[in-house]
């Protein structure tokens, strides 16, 4: 990072100039020698080779010691299977289904290694192992047909007595089989592999790809994927559209009480195939299963099931997966957040906790990736009502609309979700370094401050959506955590700086390296290559076992467990390899392909895409959602002189280290690793694998010093101004639960004695700044956290008994410019106009309001059927318009709150000091009645005086803006004797175009009354008329036409030491 202030001699001689330029040129040349990657090609090639060795050490040992079981015990060199004796051990039984899970998860990694940039021999070896793996899988489970070849050594397809989790089986099993199939048929690239040259067509028209003398590929993996997917469909038999969390691959869902399939019989009597043929005994099972699923589990099926539907022509998978996604999203809270646990039977949230990690994570991922996968083609015109398929819940839940199938709808869901996340879960730089917290999905109030290892996926997702800066700053914190622990603990607390609740294990999860890969693809910053190198070194140093790669039971102690999860080979090794292989075909593939949440590449093949392309238009987003259809991914940041890495030069890089408490770590003098014991005869082991940071001055610990700015400095921390107000406890006052009452949009405080309000300034204040103009926000009441949009309501009667009005720490200030006009407007209903023979809208009221229209208004609106009917009704036919209450949807007037602005100038009169209406802030609170019920509605009031009765008998006069000055409008109001029933307020309705400025409050201009008010005869008005102006044009004017009563509500703010408190409202 270059110094901002440089001084040079006024005159430079030639030698002096050379002395300056030569070092600069040499530095640039040295930067270029390292290539665009910041690493030499040889260094990257070595890291890629080490990653391949890491994969094969795990894969070969699995095939030798554990296949055909699901996973490998790398320490004891034995297979790992389901725990049949303990069905409640879901962490093991949910993913392990007795169908050779690790092999299925590893096939796509083998296909990717077959396209590696290394030697041809290595690629051929990987391709051969990929083909051998497919052959071995078919040998165990058959070829997916109903013929004799459909029976494998272990099962006929996946006809297995295994109760598994739907989500895990879809992303690992179905996704792994589909991805491998796409590689096998050439839809996904393998360098040097051309199935067209080795394929033929049999008598039935099926393509056959001959791999060896003993095996020909003809779609076995696709048929097996279809068999597996078909066995998951009973889980979708719910009325909510949410799938049950678990299903038995052989018997379906007999254990869910409310499922229409639960009565079909016990597992011992009814197989899945019998269930489809309706040949089951009606013996209900004794035990029932919990019906709680999670947002990620229900909403992360679209990618795999859509590809399965497009390849097989069976519409059920795509339809049910999309319906599950939208069933989750449509239950989001009013602030755009979703929870973790949700009941599949009722659709009710089981907990209000929300975050980015476990139970929620991949829902956001699939919103973005569904948009990518589905872009470019419209969904096929599936006939889901046909008799060719068992409906499996298609007819139970509400059907999908055409909007639900559009790619843009998934994008809009992500955009709204991201807005909610950024608003309520994101803690910015004022909290030392940006990170996310756990919160209440309904209020946004913080509930916990831990981050889990699963949430490390989010920076990678942000990089895909173009939010690069947010991605980098969050990834910095995870990198600092990895540097500290040489892994990412399952949960880490930003509040305490330590492992949360003893959850310190790391099972080989891929999320952090996945994000590293995606951000590197977006930025090309070599810093991320060194992050990948750190991950590779630490895994080899800490997780190596004789027969594979162990997870860490505790990242603090290095204790290993005896399990190699399938995703270690399916994702972690895969993303590391792709990170170190910039020229891999997948890194250059120009197609709408995605990596699933299990790391399996998927796309919709060209042959399966419909010819009708989607029109390039966006679905209409919900109100208030800001879309980013015009957003583009930014270009990578330019290299920083003398550094190359823009990330290493960020001013906040050590803020992340500080939050991770990296600077408190002791210096490591000696290292121990089980890998040293076997380093002599293992080709993938080198002395580099036992290196680790000698100190924690910078990170990752593999970062060369020449990538650090030669004179770089860390920027100062952003201050976080906080302020507490504690109210004194009055004598004999006891703090009771009733003192705090939750209302629709916040907390109503019924007593302040003994309360402490914790406040914070949300707008960052630079170090040493005064913070003038920023707002305080109450973030906690007696250590109870509040959401950013929650308001605090205190009745004035409560506060007046405790607080001195002159107290500078708590001062109530009236807004002299803005107030709110409150009106009750009659709800319109459809009636038949006998004269014009079309439907029109007229008010339907419980009582007849005293509304009078000026004569000129009546004349100018003779063609307006609504006003004509209203005039006729008010003058002659009062009773005829009171319709039968059973025919109107809601006869209660609706209350509206319209921002109004007061005038300035010599003619401005003060607003009447009357009883104020209840505010709109307190949702669900009592509204009460409004003060003024007689309203006179006129036009612009520029030509001639109003009738004498207008100001004498009406409390409100409503006029349109324009035609003459505000002063002239008031001159045309006759003199009147002040009384409670005479004119109290004139309201001017502005029809000025907002010009895209949003709410009328944003563009209202204060009316100028530049002279003292006079009557039409020119005499000074003894009782000046108060005036306000509102915006909204025709819509607001129509509300006054239907108004039954009008009131005002003044605006107040509460200041603490002169700084307003944004969310505190005095009632």
């Amino acid at each position: 990072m270059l110094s901002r202030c440089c001084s040079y001699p006024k005159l430079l001689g030639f030698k002096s100039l050379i002395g300056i330029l030569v070092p600069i040129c040499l530095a640039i040349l040295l930067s270029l020698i390292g290539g665009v990657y910041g690493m030499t090609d040889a260094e990257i090639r070595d890291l890629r080779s080490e990653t391949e060795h890491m994969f094969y050490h795990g894969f070969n040992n699995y095939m030798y010691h554990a296949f055909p079981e699901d996973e490998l015990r790398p320490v004891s060199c034995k297979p790992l299977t389901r725990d049949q004796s303990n069905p409640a051990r879901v962490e093991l039984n949910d993913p392990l289904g007795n169908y050779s899970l690790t092999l299925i998860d590893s096939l796509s990694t083998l296909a990717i290694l077959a396209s590696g940039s290394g030697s041809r021999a290595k690629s051929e070896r990987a391709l051969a192992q990929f083909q051998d793996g497919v052959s071995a899988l078919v040998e165990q489970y058959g070829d997916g047909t109903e013929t004799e070849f459909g029976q494998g050594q272990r099962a006929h397809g996946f006809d297995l007595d295994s109760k598994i989790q739907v989500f895990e089986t879809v992303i690992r099993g179905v996704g792994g089989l589909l991805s491998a199939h796409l590689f096998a048929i050439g839809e996904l690239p393998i360098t040097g592999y051309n199935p067209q040259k080795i394929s033929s067509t049999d008598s039935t028209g099926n393509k056959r790809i001959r791999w060896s003398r003993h095996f020909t590929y003809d779609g076995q993996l696709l048929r097996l994927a279809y068999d597996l997917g078909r066995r998951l469909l009973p889980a979708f038999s719910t009325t909510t559209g949410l799938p049950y969390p678990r299903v038995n691959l052989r018997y379906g869902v007999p254990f869910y009480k409310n499922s229409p399939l639960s009565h079909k019989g016990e597992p011992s009597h009814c197989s899945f195939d019998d269930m489809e043929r309706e040949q089951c005994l009606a013996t209900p099972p004794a035990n029932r299963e919990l019906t709680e699923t999670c947002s990620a589990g229900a909403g992360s099926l679209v990618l795999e099931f859509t590809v399965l539907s497009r390849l097989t022509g069976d519409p059920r998978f795509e339809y049910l997966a999309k319906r599950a996604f939208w069933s989750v999203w449509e239950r989001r809270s009013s602030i755009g957040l979703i929870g973790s646990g949700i009941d599949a039977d009722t659709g009710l949230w089981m907990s209000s906790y929300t975050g980015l990690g476990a139970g929620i994570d991949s829902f956001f991922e699939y919103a973005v990736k569904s948009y990518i996968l589905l872009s470019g083609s419209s969904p096929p015109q599936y006939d889901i009502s046909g008799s060719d398929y068992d409906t499996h819940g298609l007819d139970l839940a509400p059907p999908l609309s055409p909007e639900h199938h559009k790619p843009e709808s998934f994008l809009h869901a992500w955009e709204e979700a991201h807005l909610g996340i950024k608003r309520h879960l994101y803690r910015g730089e004022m909290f030392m370094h940006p990170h996310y917290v756990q919160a209440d999905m309904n209020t946004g109030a913080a509930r916990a401050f831990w981050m889990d290892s699963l949430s490390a996926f989010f920076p990678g997702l942000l990089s895909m959506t173009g939010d690069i800066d947010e991605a980098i700053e969050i990834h910095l914190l995870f990198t600092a955590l990895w540097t500290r622990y040489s892994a990412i603990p399952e949960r880490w607390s930003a509040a305490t700086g330590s492992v949360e609740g003893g959850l310190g294990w790391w099972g080989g999860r891929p999320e952090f390296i996945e994000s590293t890969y995606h951000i590197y693809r977006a930025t090309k910053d070599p810093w991320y290559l060194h992050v990948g190198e750190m991950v590779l070194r630490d895994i080899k140093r800490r997780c190596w076992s004789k027969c594979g790669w162990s997870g860490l039971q505790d990242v603090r102690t290095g204790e290993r467990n005896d399990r190699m999860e399938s995703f270690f080979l399916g994702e972690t090794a895969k993303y590391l390899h792709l990170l170190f292989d910039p020229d891999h075909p997948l890194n250059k593939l120009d197609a709408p392909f995605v990596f699933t949440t299990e790391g399996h590449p998927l796309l919709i093949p060209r042959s399966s895409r419909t010819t009708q392309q989607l029109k390039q238009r966006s679905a209409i987003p919900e109100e208030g959602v800001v879309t980013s259809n015009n957003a583009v991914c930014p270009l990578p940041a330019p290299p920083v002189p003398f550094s190359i890495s823009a990330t290493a030069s960020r001013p906040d890089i050590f803020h992340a280290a500080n939050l991770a408490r990296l600077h408190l770590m002791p210096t490591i003098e000696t290292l121990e690793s089980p890998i040293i014991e076997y380093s002599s005869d293992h080709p993938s082991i080198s002395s580099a694998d036992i290196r680790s940071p000698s100190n924690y001055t910078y990170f990752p610990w593999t970062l060369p010093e020449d990538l650090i700015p030669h004179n770089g400095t860390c920027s100062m921390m952003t201050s976080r101004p906080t302020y507490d107000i504690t109210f004194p406890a009055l004598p004999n006052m006891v703090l009771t639960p009733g003192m705090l009452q939750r209302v629709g949009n916040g907390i109503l405080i019924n007593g302040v004695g003994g309360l402490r309000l914790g406040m914070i300034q949300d707008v960052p204040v630079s170090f040493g700044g005064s913070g003038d103009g920023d707002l305080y926000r109450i973030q906690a009441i007696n250590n109870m956290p509040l959401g950013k949009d929650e308001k605090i309501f205190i009745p004035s009667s409560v506060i007046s008994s405790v607080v001195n009005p002159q107290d500078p720490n708590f001062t109530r200030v009236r807004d002299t410019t803005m107030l709110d006009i409150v009106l009750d407007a009659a709800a319109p209903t459809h009636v038949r106009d006998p004269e014009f023979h079309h439907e029109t809208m007229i008010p339907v009221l419980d009582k007849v309001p005293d509304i009078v229209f000026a004569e000129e208004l009546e004349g100018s609106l003779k063609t307006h059927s609504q006003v004509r009917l209203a005039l006729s009704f008010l003058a002659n036919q009062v009773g005829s318009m009171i319709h039968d209450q059973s025919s109107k949807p809601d006869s209660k007037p609706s209350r509206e709150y319209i921002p109004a602005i007061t005038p300035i100038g010599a003619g401005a009169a003060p607003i009447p000091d009357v009883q104020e209406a209840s505010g709109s802030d307190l949702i669900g609170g009592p509204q009460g009645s409004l003060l003024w019920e007689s309203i006179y509605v006129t036009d612009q009031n520029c030509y001639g005086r109003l009738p004498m009765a207008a100001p004498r008998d009406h409390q409100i006069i409503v006029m349109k803006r324009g035609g003459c000055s505000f002063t002239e409008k008031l001159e045309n109001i006759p003199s009147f004797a002040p009384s409670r029933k005479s004119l109290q307020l004139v309201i001017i309705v502005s029809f000025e175009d907002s010009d895209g400025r949003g709410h009328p409050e944003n563009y209202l201009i204060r009316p100028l009354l530049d002279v003292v008010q006079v009557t039409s005869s020119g005499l000074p008005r003894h009782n000046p008329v108060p005036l306000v102006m509102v915006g909204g044009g025709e819509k607001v004017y129509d509300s006054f036409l239907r108004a039954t009563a009008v009131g005002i509500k003044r605006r107040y703010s509460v200041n603490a030491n002169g700084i307003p408190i944004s969310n505190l409202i005095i009632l």
Side-chain angles (χ1 to χ4, degrees), residues 869-906:
L869 286 171
L871 288 168
S872 176
F873 159 68
L874 294 170
N876 302 308
Q877 302 292 335
V878 173
S880 64
M881 293 182 60
I882 305 299
H883 290 267
D884 180 22
Q885 295 294 322
S886 63
S887 66
K888 54 187 179 179
D890 185 7
S891 60
K892 184 179 180 180
S894 62
R895 179 153 293 185
E896 300 181 23
Y897 296 83
I898 305 170
I901 193 166
T902 58
I904 58 174

Side-chain angles (χ1 to χ4, degrees), residues 31-280:
S31 300
L32 295 176
I33 291 175
V36 296
Y37 308 113
M39 280 186 178
T40 65
D41 291 341
E43 288 174 326
I44 297 176
R45 182 175 61 250
D46 289 343
L47 291 173
R48 183 168 62 246
S49 179
E50 289 184 49
T51 303
E52 293 170 1
H53 284 299
M54 183 180 74
F55 171 82
Y56 285 123
H57 176 63
F59 179 76
N60 291 339
N61 275 289
Y62 163 75
M63 294 300 292
Y64 183 79
H65 294 288
F67 181 77
E69 302 301 337
D70 283 317
E71 288 183 346
L72 168 68
R73 295 182 183 271
V75 176
S76 56
C77 301
K78 296 179 180 179
L80 180 64
T81 60
R82 295 171 56 82
D83 189 347
Q84 300 287 0
S85 63
N86 184 12
R89 194 179 174 188
V90 292
E91 79 280 358
L92 190 67
N93 295 332
D94 273 356
L96 306 189
N98 285 338
Y99 56 81
S100 308
L101 178 61
T102 296
L103 175 58
I104 293 177
D105 238 355
S106 300
L107 287 176
S108 62
T109 307
L110 282 167
I112 287 172
L113 292 178
S115 291
S117 301
S119 67
R120 183 61 188 163
K122 286 185 177 180
S123 298
E124 291 177 350
R125 172 195 177 192
L127 180 59
Q129 288 196 288
F130 169 74
Q131 294 174 342
D132 290 344
V134 174
S135 176
L137 199 67
V138 172
E139 183 178 349
Q140 293 295 322
Y141 304 99
D143 68 354
T145 66
E146 296 297 328
T147 68
E148 59 180 310
F149 301 106
Q151 179 64 48
Q153 293 181 6
R154 278 176 78 93
H156 189 289
F158 296 103
D159 182 23
L160 302 161
D161 185 9
S162 300
K163 186 171 75 173
I164 44 79
Q165 191 186 78
V166 173
F167 167 66
E168 293 286 358
T169 306
V170 169
I171 65 172
R172 300 198 199 194
V174 176
L177 291 167
L178 289 174
S179 183
H181 169 72
L182 292 172
F183 277 113
I185 63 175
E187 289 288 347
L188 288 172
I190 298 178
T191 302
Y193 172 67
N194 189 348
Q196 304 301 326
K197 294 183 178 180
I198 56 176
S199 64
S200 60
T201 304
D202 61 18
S203 58
T204 61
N206 293 326
K207 182 177 292 186
R208 300 170 59 84
I209 306 172
R210 189 166 184 81
W211 283 352
S212 68
R213 291 185 304 167
H214 307 290
F215 188 82
T216 298
Y217 186 77
D218 61 358
Q220 293 96 325
L221 294 177
L222 176 59
R223 292 194 294 272
L224 287 173
Y226 182 72
D227 177 82
L228 183 57
R230 185 175 60 94
R231 296 175 182 277
L232 303 176
L233 292 181
F236 292 84
S237 299
T238 67
T239 57
T240 61
L242 302 166
Y244 289 120
R246 294 174 180 85
V247 66
N248 188 292
L249 292 177
R250 176 174 293 167
Y251 303 117
V253 288
F255 33 74
Y256 290 116
K257 177 181 178 181
N258 294 325
S259 169
L261 304 178
S262 66
H263 69 282
K264 300 280 185 165
E266 289 184 339
S268 58
H269 298 110
C270 180
S271 70
F272 178 81
D273 293 328
D274 289 339
M275 187 166 54
E276 286 204 327
R277 301 186 189 99
E278 299 185 355
Q279 297 175 353
C280 298

Side-chain angles (χ1 to χ4, degrees), residues 8-13 16:
Y8 296 97
K10 292 183 178 180
L11 296 174
L12 292 175
S16 299

Side-chain angles (χ1 to χ4, degrees), residues 525-558:
D525 192 322
W527 192 83
Y528 297 96
L529 293 174
H530 293 287
V531 173
E533 180 188 8
M534 174 180 68
V535 172
L536 177 63
R537 298 273 177 251
D538 286 336
I539 289 176
K540 294 176 70 175
R541 177 172 58 87
R542 307 190 78 193
C543 302
W544 192 93
S545 294
K546 183 177 180 179
C547 295
W549 301 98
S550 299
L552 297 175
Q553 192 62 33
D554 194 322
V555 298
R556 297 164 293 186
T557 65

Side-chain angles (χ1 to χ4, degrees), residues 566-592:
S566 68
F567 51 67
F568 181 81
L569 300 180
E571 295 185 80
T572 307
K574 178 183 297 170
Y575 284 121
L576 275 172
H577 178 83
L578 289 172
L579 175 67
F580 298 134
D581 193 356
D583 295 324
H584 194 281
L586 276 183
N587 287 332
K588 298 182 176 182
L589 183 60
D590 185 15

